[in-house]
Amino acid sequence: MSASSALIDAERPQLLGLDRRSLSALLRAWGESPFRAQQILQWLHSRQMTDFAAMSDISKSLRARLAAETRVDEPEIVADQLAADGTRKWLLALPGGDAIETVFIPEETRGTLCVSSQVGCSLACSFCATGAQGLGRNLEAYEIIAQIRVARRILGMGTITNVVFMGMGEPLLNLRHVFPALNLLRDDCAYGLGARRITVSTAGIVPGLDRLGAESPVNLAISLHASRDDVRDVLVPVNRHYPLSELLAACRRYPLPPRRKITFEYVMLDGINDADIHARELVRLLRGIPSMVNLIPFNPFPGSGYRRSSPARIDAFRDIILRGNVMTVTRRPRGDDIAAACGQLAGQVRDGRRSVPLARRA
């Protein structure tokens, strides 16, 4: 491909990342009825069809233009691993030499797909393998959606019932592309998932959290991991920008529907954040917030320097929180034999770096 043709190809919009509003705007610019957006979304996402010639209820002229002036790119599957517990992890190659990891977690009543929103991560949480890599780049909306398409093609159309933004990256530092992906996930003509079946996890980017609540209030998970600022400053360094008082105030502002709770994720680290006093402090911190605490046994990775809290210590910590009338569960590690568990996703990050401005990334 010549340099000029490569440039033209790069300028063609990625059709998979266009939500209904953006697709309608493109069609209006072409002199087409915005109603066609609904049909195209159904073909692309509900039916996973990328052969424009097969889109029989769309005019031949529009099909030809879509084929000539848009792109439908999907990542290449580099590795496909299956854990003993049924968890499945894919390493997906992206343009430029990067790669991301996507994980499917099967359960009796649902199937959860854990998607990435960035290549690597800039937040450098000290217990997380992804943060140790630094940030490669933000994923575009089509690259987020493509993870779901790849998984559905392999697993079957009805297998994925829930999507969680808990893979590589900090979603609230990539809202420019996360929002269109959320719109597509919730669109009845695309994936048709209700807000209660979508969860966005954040380490605590307060401005992004407020935007999420205002524009797309899906389920919220907070990577908390500490009950006091001095500990959280080390575990989750973004706490130095948005300390616990600011983060929890944003959680209290978040628009929760009736009976919905915010999930607070808390990785259990031996001798670091797992003492009885930390549990009592956590109960006090969450007072007045509809909460569920998810205790996560630490999943080790090379060079982390941390140890997992013992089962007895985790149980004692859990019991203190339960006595404080806060719903608490201990997460069972899934996929840790293929490094697919929480905090273990690594992928391949080209030229990763950690120093990324926080306030203006979203």
Side-chain angles (χ1 to χ4, degrees), residues 264-284:
F264 290 90
E265 298 165 322
Y266 197 100
V267 65
M268 298 297 294
L269 301 168
D270 181 43
I272 304 295
N273 63 351
D274 62 349
D276 287 357
I277 190 172
H278 296 137
R280 290 191 289 269
E281 289 170 348
L282 184 57
V283 170
R284 288 195 294 270

Side-chain angles (χ1 to χ4, degrees), residues 206 209-210 220 245-254 262:
V206 169
L209 201 161
D210 286 333
L220 180 65
S245 59
E246 293 184 26
L247 173 57
L248 295 174
C251 290
R252 290 183 172 89
R253 293 192 297 268
Y254 194 79
I262 295 175

Side-chain angles (χ1 to χ4, degrees), residues 141-163:
Y142 85 92
E143 293 171 315
I144 298 172
I145 290 298
Q147 296 171 67
I148 299 150
R149 290 175 60 86
V150 167
R152 288 176 83 190
R153 186 172 64 246
I154 294 171
L155 300 171
M157 295 292 281
T159 308
I160 298 168
T161 63
N162 295 68
V163 174

Side-chain angles (χ1 to χ4, degrees), residues 136-189:
R137 64 175 176 85
N138 286 332
L139 293 185
E140 296 186 32
Y142 85 92
E143 293 171 315
I144 298 172
I145 290 298
Q147 296 171 67
I148 299 150
R149 290 175 60 86
V150 167
R152 288 176 83 190
R153 186 172 64 246
I154 294 171
L155 300 171
M157 295 292 281
T159 308
I160 298 168
T161 63
N162 295 68
V163 174
V164 296
F165 286 70
M166 296 183 181
M168 297 172 64
E170 166 54 63
L172 299 192
L173 291 180
N174 187 21
L175 286 177
R176 176 186 174 191
H177 298 294
V178 166
F179 276 146
L182 289 175
N183 292 341
L184 286 167
L185 289 175
R186 298 177 66 179
D187 195 311
D188 287 339
C189 290

Side-chain angles (χ1 to χ4, degrees), residues 57-252:
D57 56 356
I58 298 173
S59 69
K60 288 184 178 180
S61 60
L62 178 54
R63 282 182 269 167
R65 190 162 190 182
L66 286 168
E69 299 186 32
T70 68
R71 303 171 65 185
V72 179
D73 292 346
E74 290 189 9
E76 173 191 356
I77 300 174
V78 177
D80 183 344
Q81 295 176 275
L82 183 64
D85 62 10
T87 299
R88 195 162 180 175
K89 182 177 76 169
W90 297 280
L91 179 67
L92 305 176
L94 302 177
D98 293 319
I100 54 171
E101 292 186 324
T102 304
V103 176
F104 175 71
I105 306 168
E107 298 175 83
E108 287 187 11
T109 59
R110 64 182 181 179
T112 300
L113 190 70
C114 178
V115 300
S116 295
S117 56
Q118 295 179 311
V119 180
C121 184
S122 66
L123 298 188
C125 295
S126 59
F127 55 88
C128 178
T130 309
Q133 295 181 309
L135 177 69
R137 64 175 176 85
N138 286 332
L139 293 185
E140 296 186 32
Y142 85 92
E143 293 171 315
I144 298 172
I145 290 298
Q147 296 171 67
I148 299 150
R149 290 175 60 86
V150 167
R152 288 176 83 190
R153 186 172 64 246
I154 294 171
L155 300 171
M157 295 292 281
T159 308
I160 298 168
T161 63
N162 295 68
V163 174
V164 296
F165 286 70
M166 296 183 181
M168 297 172 64
E170 166 54 63
L172 299 192
L173 291 180
N174 187 21
L175 286 177
R176 176 186 174 191
H177 298 294
V178 166
F179 276 146
L182 289 175
N183 292 341
L184 286 167
L185 289 175
R186 298 177 66 179
D187 195 311
D188 287 339
C189 290
Y191 297 92
L193 295 177
R196 66 187 180 88
R197 294 191 176 275
I198 305 168
T199 300
V200 171
S201 177
T202 177
I205 311 299
V206 169
L209 201 161
D210 286 333
R211 279 193 62 196
L212 182 69
E215 300 182 36
S216 189
V218 294
N219 284 338
L220 180 65
I222 302 294
S223 293
L224 196 65
H225 310 304
S227 59
R228 52 181 72 163
D229 281 320
D230 59 340
V231 177
R232 196 166 191 264
D233 284 349
V234 175
L235 298 180
V236 188
V238 73
N239 193 72
R240 300 166 194 164
H241 296 267
Y242 308 113
L244 285 168
S245 59
E246 293 184 26
L247 173 57
L248 295 174
C251 290
R252 290 183 172 89

